[in-house]
Amino acid sequence: QSVLTQPPSASGTPGQRVTISCSGSSSNIGGNTVNWYHQLPGTAPKLLIYSNNQRPSGVPDRFSGSKSGTSASLAISGLQSEDESDYYCATWDGSLNVVVFGGGTKLTVL
Amino acid sequence: EVQLVESGGGLVQPGGSLRLSCAASGFTFSTYWMDWVRQAPGKGLEWVANIKQDGSEKYYVDSVKGRFTISRDNAKNSLYLQMNSLRAEDTAVYYCARGLLGAASHWGQGILVTVSS
């Protein structure tokens, strides 16, 4: 059971917009910034979004992040087949003094 | 180019020990927090431990406290994870990561640790 809650799966058709939620509490998301990572099968995770809504260089602007209260969201617009991946949110939990991850969301492009 | 290369993984019997290493290059190692993250087969990501730039602060997930020790050698640009009293549930791919929660987060390719008799 992950401290951060993500839907296990999400899907969309090419061109659509999909969102992935990440729900936490005041000790983690509520008090700290959120990073998002994506992971293709058999490869290492890569940073997608940092500080809630910032994109590292090289990440397309189709990817956006937001945070409100104790929840965060990742939005992908103009969905493409290469967006099929696992997506994870992560943040610091100030009560537990640990990094916490969401359980991951497998995105399928139909 | 930023590179993080893990080594030291393999097959170990329950109760045994392993020491993972992570060789860093392409950036100023001594200026970053460093993390270990693991992923059991077919499962999600689990953070294991992290260490401050000068080694003065270390944090661990509860399941490894007292068994795993994270350390670093800034002169050698290297990160380590000493794993003792290994259990079957420690079987995973272990990733070394630079500044996991920062803007410059970067991960190594991972190394497999299998705990089995």
Side-chain angles (χ1 to χ4, degrees), chain A residues 5-109:
Chain A
T5 301
Q6 295 180 237
S9 63
S11 64
T13 56
Q16 266 191 333
R17 182 178 187 270
V18 297
T19 61
I20 297 171
S21 62
C22 175
S23 177
S25 68
S26 57
S27 64
N28 43 66
I29 292 179
N32 297 284
T33 60
V34 176
N35 277 20
W36 288 90
Y37 307 90
H38 67 126
Q39 182 182 34
L40 293 170
T43 68
K46 290 185 180 178
L47 180 64
L48 193 60
I49 296 287
Y50 67 94
S51 294
N52 304 326
N53 55 18
Q54 302 299 303
R55 283 185 309 276
S57 95
V59 173
D61 59 7
R62 302 187 296 105
F63 294 88
S64 62
S66 64
K67 187 185 106 168
S68 178
T70 59
S71 292
S73 291
L74 174 71
I76 309 170
S77 59
L79 201 60
Q80 300 180 4
S81 58
E82 54 261 40
D83 297 333
E84 273 208 350
S85 185
D86 292 328
Y87 293 85
Y88 295 90
C89 57
T91 187
W92 179 255
D93 189 299
S95 290
L96 301 174
N97 278 338
V98 297
V99 173
V100 289
F101 278 99
T105 299
K106 184 176 184 62
L107 176 63
T108 301
V109 181

Side-chain angles (χ1 to χ4, degrees), chain B residues 1-56:
Chain B
E1 179 194 2
V2 173
Q3 282 202 322
L4 296 168
V5 180
E6 300 93 340
S7 60
L11 175 64
V12 61
Q13 291 189 338
S17 298
L18 274 180
R19 189 195 195 206
L20 302 184
S21 299
C22 172
S25 61
F27 66 100
T28 307
F29 179 74
S30 61
T31 64
Y32 287 88
W33 279 81
M34 295 297 295
D35 296 78
W36 286 102
V37 179
R38 66 185 178 183
Q39 187 170 34
K43 302 296 184 182
L45 301 172
E46 180 185 36
W47 175 81
V48 174
N50 65 6
I51 185 168
K52 195 177 178 179
Q53 290 90 332
D54 62 359
S56 61

